[in-house]
Amino acid sequence: MTESIHKYFKVGTIQWMSFPPARHAPMDSLKRLLADDYFDAIELTHYPDEAERKKAKEMLAASHVTVCYGAQPRLLGPKLNPNDLDEEKRLAAENVLLDSVKEADYLGAKGIAFLAGKWAPET
């Protein structure tokens, strides 16, 4: 292949996997990724701080990248499952996903990813 990979693919990264929040400030890593012209796409997740969320929205809107949203961290941390047989737990997961869809839209995301929970053969 003699042409750039960008002719065939949108090259992207998952922000919280490339820069785990426990070791990297989300806004710092977002700035770093958006400044890197190698990336055409970014998947990000929840910004709990409203001021950071607003700043992230502004930065994303001014960038050249396609934005995707990953709700997985919001479900995995508290062990939520949108297919939970316990209705109260299922509703808690549903509420997180509905909030995630709203945030994804606010941030300009073109798609959202989430996990459905662990497989339990007996159910």
Side-chain angles (χ1 to χ4, degrees), residues 71-80:
Q72 301 92 315
R74 298 186 74 186
L75 294 171
L76 292 172
K79 297 183 173 140
L80 297 173

Side-chain angles (χ1 to χ4, degrees), residues 65-107:
V65 302
T66 298
V67 180
C68 300
Y69 187 95
Q72 301 92 315
R74 298 186 74 186
L75 294 171
L76 292 172
K79 297 183 173 140
L80 297 173
N81 177 357
N83 293 320
D84 203 309
L85 296 177
D86 179 314
E87 185 65 8
E88 189 174 313
K89 292 178 182 176
R90 189 197 66 74
L91 284 173
E94 181 180 311
N95 288 332
V96 166
L97 287 172
L98 289 171
D99 186 63
S100 295
V101 168
K102 288 177 189 171
E103 183 174 18
D105 181 57
Y106 176 79
L107 292 170

Side-chain angles (χ1 to χ4, degrees), residues 27-40:
M27 292 307 294
D28 292 342
S29 64
L30 181 62
K31 288 176 193 174
R32 186 171 170 184
L33 290 168
L34 295 179
D36 188 335
D37 65 356
Y38 183 74
F39 294 112
D40 306 306

Side-chain angles (χ1 to χ4, degrees), residues 108-120:
K110 302 297 181 199
I112 185 170
F114 67 94
L115 300 172
K118 290 186 176 184
W119 168 256

